[in-house]
Amino acid sequence: MFSSFFNSSTVDPKAPNLYPVSGFEPKTSASDLFGDLRPTDLEWACSGGFVTETQTFYHFLEDDTMLMCQVIHSSIGMWYPTIQFTCKIYNPNTSETLWRSINVTNFVTPPPGLDKRSCKADQFSITCNPSADPSFPEKYDIRANLSDDFQISLEVARPASVPGFKLGQGPKGGFTYFGQDVTKPDGYVVHRFWPHTRATGHVIRKGQATPVDGIGMFVHAIQGMRPNLVASRWNFGTFQSRAHGGVAAVQMEFTTLETHGRHGAGSGGVTVNVGAVVLGGKLAVVTAETRWPDEVPEETAPVMSRVTHVEPEHDPDTGYRKPSAFEFRWAGPSILTVPQGTVSASLCVDVGGVAQPKGLIEKVDVLAEIPYVIKTMVNYVAGTKPYIYQWQNKAKLVVRGQDSVIPGLSEGLEIEGLFFNEASFIS
């Protein structure tokens, strides 16, 4: 019983306590980057402990309206999980925003006769089913009754030529682990993507049905640790265009606190990024990058996946330094069998200053939105208040690749489309 007092083995305080999905060294081969999704990858985990799990669908409609639907499953230790369904509709032409967030009852996964990719509650159902259309082999059917005067009915389908992906192969693909022992991690983060999707259906408001015909993306994400311990900030962006048979680009990025890095506590501030680009209606490249705080990123790195905040300025509303513009960059080996080669893309978006914002949808006060019981369990540093900035703007994605994918691609093309992005400041 006293062996632990006399055990000479000690934990090295300088050992890595972060194992990023993007790797300690750059991943340079397409097979290391692209991991095909299995049905089990998209199943609800509904884990215990302190875990936040989401299914999120983002789509742009024909009139540029953005439609977002999200299910949030929040486990908080011994408490019963809290499940929310949220929906946001933003029309950039009128600046009108419709937002609903409801706590649901009688959440079940899987529903009878379905697997755990599907879920339902009294107020909504999201069911994953095979499609009779071989050009769109998988689909989610979304039905939600958000209030007496607001309902949605959508079908979100994935093109056969744009497979879902995670970063890396196998059951552990997509995972970043926190803690020194990856077999018994302190926490984890994982994302699985459908980077380009089609949405059809209706939005019903006050008894009036409005048809939906949109393009967008879907992501299933899990944060297996308290959110204030995972990251100090997040960046997310999705570009979508109907040009050239479908063009899309997505990035998800987080930066750790000082507590987690490759030399233990105090070596944090590590940025982990995963992305992808769809060209000509086909998934062309999956990208990933780890940026260490003690290294300068290579400007001509063969594999690149990064976001840069340009000209940040203090925002008195939030206390954070918000950027005036963003630069997103992707580069990596093509995953297309024919032709092989490299694919690169970049996007710059001007979101304006604090006094004159451009495309700002909302500054989301996170603590005002999350349920009270979760708020009391998350020990945010005194004086800090998490905020999420959301923008939507028209943008141009500059892409290069092989001419057989899109004619003229080898010389570089500017693709016009819509871009939604978020910058989250946690601490």
Side-chain angles (χ1 to χ4, degrees):
M1 63 181 291
F2 299 106
S3 60
S4 61
F5 289 100
F6 301 100
N7 193 331
S8 60
S9 64
T10 58
V11 175
D12 181 1
K14 296 297 183 181
N17 64 354
L18 176 75
Y19 293 84
V21 65
S22 42
F24 285 94
E25 299 296 332
K27 297 178 183 287
T28 57
S29 71
S31 60
D32 288 337
L33 292 161
F34 170 73
D36 58 327
L37 288 187
R38 309 294 174 85
T40 52
D41 288 324
L42 294 177
E43 290 185 345
W44 282 94
C46 298
S47 302
F50 206 110
V51 179
T52 303
E53 184 171 7
T54 59
Q55 283 184 341
T56 313
F57 302 82
Y58 303 90
H59 287 88
F60 297 114
L61 311 188
E62 289 185 307
D63 65 350
D64 297 349
T65 292
M66 189 273 293
L67 170 61
M68 184 274 286
C69 298
Q70 183 181 61
V71 181
I72 309 170
H73 183 287
S74 302
S75 295
I76 42 178
M78 300 298 293
W79 295 78
Y80 189 79
T82 298
I83 297 94
Q84 294 172 278
F85 188 99
T86 66
C87 180
K88 176 172 286 186
I89 300 176
Y90 170 70
N91 186 329
N93 303 306
T94 63
S95 297
E96 179 186 9
T97 301
L98 177 63
W99 165 253
R100 292 287 188 278
S101 179
I102 58 174
N103 290 338
V104 305
T105 52
N106 296 318
F107 176 86
V108 174
T109 182
L114 297 169
D115 62 29
K116 292 187 72 174
R117 290 175 294 178
S118 303
C119 62
K120 68 182 290 294
D122 292 337
Q123 296 82 2
F124 80 94
S125 67
I126 298 180
T127 58
C128 186
N129 299 292
S131 170
D133 183 354
S135 60
F136 289 88
E138 292 182 291
K139 64 185 179 73
Y140 281 93
D141 293 302
I142 305 172
R143 307 284 185 269
N145 183 9
L146 297 161
S147 63
D148 291 340
D149 61 353
F150 184 26
Q151 298 85 36
I152 59 172
S153 176
L154 299 176
E155 178 185 285
V156 175
R158 178 187 64 79
S161 56
V162 186
F165 78 92
K166 59 192 176 187
L167 189 68
Q169 297 285 347
K172 298 300 183 183
F175 281 85
T176 289
Y177 292 106
F178 294 77
Q180 291 190 339
D181 186 352
V182 294
T183 65
K184 297 178 181 178
D186 298 332
Y188 62 90
V189 170
V190 62
H191 294 87
R192 287 92 173 216
F193 301 89
W194 285 4
H196 188 57
T197 53
R198 180 190 69 182
T200 55
H202 292 84
V203 172
I204 301 99
R205 297 180 60 188
K206 299 179 180 179
Q208 184 72 33
T210 301
V212 168
D213 182 3
I215 55 173
M217 63 162 288
F218 160 67
V219 57
H220 188 132
I222 309 176
Q223 291 186 48
M225 196 160 68
R226 283 178 170 82
N228 58 310
L229 302 180
V230 170
S232 61
R233 75 181 194 183
W234 290 80
N235 287 296
F236 166 70
T238 175
F239 172 91
Q240 301 287 336
S241 174
R242 299 178 189 267
H244 302 287
V247 173
V250 60
Q251 279 192 26
M252 184 73 73
E253 177 184 280
F254 67 91
T255 301
T256 69
L257 283 72
E258 285 298 316
T259 50
H260 291 89
R262 60 178 167 185
H263 301 301
S267 66
V270 182
T271 299
V272 180
N273 187 302
V274 177
V277 177
V278 174
L279 296 173
K282 298 178 181 178
L283 182 59
V285 66
V286 172
T287 60
E289 187 172 11
T290 307
R291 299 204 306 280
W292 305 100
D294 56 348
E295 294 182 1
V296 177
E298 292 183 40
E299 281 298 309
T300 58
V303 176
M304 187 184 305
S305 202
R306 65 181 69 159
V307 185
T308 302
H309 287 197
V310 179
E311 296 182 358
E313 63 173 317
H314 176 74
D315 183 352
D317 290 345
T318 66
Y320 293 105
R321 287 176 57 79
K322 66 157 287 293
S324 301
F326 291 86
E327 182 184 26
F328 287 73
R329 297 176 70 183
W330 298 257
S334 172
I335 67 170
L336 298 173
T337 304
V338 178
Q340 294 182 332
T342 60
V343 174
S344 65
S346 63
L347 181 151
C348 294
V349 59
D350 180 3
V351 297
V354 172
Q356 294 182 310
K358 296 181 180 180
L360 179 66
I361 301 173
E362 189 177 3
K363 304 174 190 178
V364 180
D365 180 348
V366 175
L367 293 182
E369 296 294 339
I370 63 177
Y372 174 78
V373 69
I374 298 177
K375 191 184 309 182
T376 59
M377 295 290 290
V378 178
N379 298 317
Y380 286 98
V381 176
T384 66
K385 200 173 186 180
Y387 271 90
I388 303 173
Y389 290 80
Q390 297 177 328
W391 297 272
Q392 178 181 322
N393 287 282
K394 293 182 178 180
K396 292 181 180 180
L397 184 72
V398 180
V399 292
R400 290 182 181 272
Q402 290 69 47
D403 288 339
S404 56
V405 179
I406 300 176
L409 194 59
S410 63
E411 296 299 319
L413 294 175
E414 286 190 350
I415 311 295
E416 295 184 350
L418 292 172
F419 188 62
F420 171 84
N421 70 302
E422 294 182 336
S424 302
F425 298 89
I426 310 301
S427 61

